[in-house]
Amino acid sequence: MRGGIGGGTMVPALVEQTMHQLIHSLNTRTSNITAIYLYGSVALKDYIEGSSDIDFIAIVREPFSQTDVQAIIEAHKEVEAAIPNTDIMGAYILFEDLNRKQGDIKPLLTYFDKQIHRDGRGADLNPITWWIVKKHGIRVYGSEITFNYDLDKDTLLSYVINNLNSYWSGWITRLEQKLQTVLEAQQELESQQLDQAIEWCALGMLRQLFTLKEQDISSKVGAGRYGLQHVPDKWHGIIEEAIAIKRLQPNRLYSSQMERLTDLIALLKFIQLEANRVYE
């Protein structure tokens, strides 16, 4: 193994074990891998075992042949058999595909949901990813790469605001519909399902707000802490719950599931309005 896990940077034990296994499993089957870099929560120093993915970019020397694809499939099967309690996702790309739009990378080989996909399914190759790779990426295998592509802040901010006003706006609409349905049917909300929505939406949208205000990238928990400093006090409870859920901690501040959902929707609407105000 060239370069060493983390290239001198400490990574969590499960991440190190997983990447050691992946590197070994790939190297015994193919010589086409030039380097592997970690991004995501590991690179942002906020990896939470049991909650976070291990995100990687593998850079290949030449377009992969069918033999290479089969080798990668078998390598990941070996990793899953050896370390079933880990969740990794990543993409195998050429050096010249770094910083390209996902739709411009063809073919795009990805590992997502414990399967290899040839159509790029599960890839998250976007300006946020390229920002983290260049500024915070951790080399775990191969020669160190000079990421000499330009990071255009306008492109980053435009991507984030568009994502917020499409994907995240859709979440707000669905949560409002859920609230209305529950009220009309006088149903009970399922707490575990609501936990997932609180963690995903509150921290996810706070990351967007952080980027638009600070022109940088934050982890989910980091964005939650940022929210506690920059969002009105009345929504601190739902943010604290979102952080606790992400960190797999049991503490909850609400006794009413309806109140939790109502506050979540109100927080998300505030973030959307504030984010658009900042971007103007």
Side-chain angles (χ1 to χ4, degrees):
M1 178 181 59
R2 294 177 296 152
I5 289 291
T9 302
M10 294 294 292
V11 298
L14 182 59
V15 176
E16 182 172 7
Q17 179 188 8
T18 301
M19 297 315 295
H20 266 299
Q21 181 64 59
L22 178 61
I23 291 163
H24 171 76
S25 297
L26 287 168
N27 275 344
T28 58
R29 294 171 170 84
T30 178
S31 60
N32 198 14
I33 310 298
T34 299
I36 299 176
Y37 274 75
L38 297 175
Y39 66 101
S41 58
V42 177
L44 294 173
K45 298 180 174 58
D46 204 12
Y47 176 80
I48 301 167
E49 187 173 327
S51 178
S52 301
D53 296 323
I54 301 172
D55 303 294
F56 71 90
I57 295 287
I59 299 166
V60 299
R61 290 185 172 84
E62 55 191 23
F64 25 78
S65 64
Q66 180 55 42
T67 301
D68 289 325
V69 173
Q70 189 58 40
I72 292 169
I73 290 172
E74 292 173 1
H76 279 283
K77 284 182 178 179
E78 187 170 71
V79 174
E80 294 294 349
I83 315 173
N85 61 327
T86 191
D87 195 1
I88 61 177
M89 58 181 291
Y92 292 82
I93 64 174
L94 293 164
F95 177 81
E96 52 263 36
D97 287 330
L98 290 168
N99 201 36
R100 284 188 177 175
K101 293 180 181 179
Q102 186 166 311
D104 294 339
I105 304 174
K106 295 178 181 179
L108 177 54
L109 192 71
T110 57
Y111 186 73
F112 172 71
D113 199 20
K114 299 188 182 300
Q115 293 184 54
I116 288 290
H117 302 277
R118 302 171 195 240
D119 59 359
R121 189 179 313 170
D124 58 351
L125 305 182
N126 55 59
I128 293 174
T129 297
W130 301 130
W131 186 281
I132 297 173
V133 168
K134 181 168 183 173
K135 289 183 172 288
H136 307 287
I138 298 174
R139 176 173 56 93
V140 295
Y141 172 74
S143 303
E144 188 168 356
I145 291 174
T146 300
F147 297 105
N148 55 6
Y149 55 78
D150 293 329
L151 289 173
D152 183 346
K153 284 189 178 180
D154 289 340
T155 299
L156 174 67
L157 300 182
S158 176
Y159 171 82
V160 167
I161 197 67
N162 288 333
N163 184 249
L164 187 142
N165 287 326
S166 54
Y167 175 80
W168 291 110
S169 183
W171 262 103
I172 295 173
T173 299
R174 291 192 296 275
L175 290 171
E176 287 183 310
Q177 292 170 344
K178 178 66 173 178
L179 178 60
Q180 186 63 32
T181 299
V182 169
L183 286 171
E184 290 175 353
Q186 296 184 335
Q187 297 174 336
E188 290 294 327
L189 282 164
E190 201 279 310
S191 61
Q192 185 174 0
Q193 188 178 46
L194 186 52
D195 275 2
Q196 294 170 352
I198 289 170
E199 179 266 319
W200 180 254
C201 294
L203 301 184
M205 285 190 69
L206 283 169
R207 289 187 79 188
Q208 317 301 302
L209 183 62
F210 176 91
T211 296
L212 291 164
K213 280 194 167 186
E214 307 301 329
Q215 299 187 7
D216 203 351
I217 306 296
S218 172
S219 68
K220 286 186 176 180
V221 172
R225 292 174 179 147
Y226 179 83
L228 292 175
Q229 296 177 333
H230 294 86
V231 167
D233 292 354
K234 59 184 175 180
W235 292 308
H236 285 192
I238 201 71
I239 295 173
E240 288 174 359
E241 281 210 355
I243 294 171
I245 294 163
K246 179 62 180 176
R247 297 187 65 82
L248 305 177
Q249 296 170 343
N251 45 306
R252 301 290 182 270
L253 302 175
Y254 288 79
S255 57
S256 166
Q257 300 302 321
M258 290 291 291
E259 187 178 355
R260 293 175 87 205
L261 179 54
T262 300
D263 278 6
L264 174 62
I265 293 169
L267 169 65
L268 301 185
K269 285 185 170 182
F270 168 82
I271 294 171
Q272 186 175 29
L273 286 171
E274 179 68 6
N276 280 281
R277 183 192 66 79
V278 170
Y279 186 71
E280 287 179 354

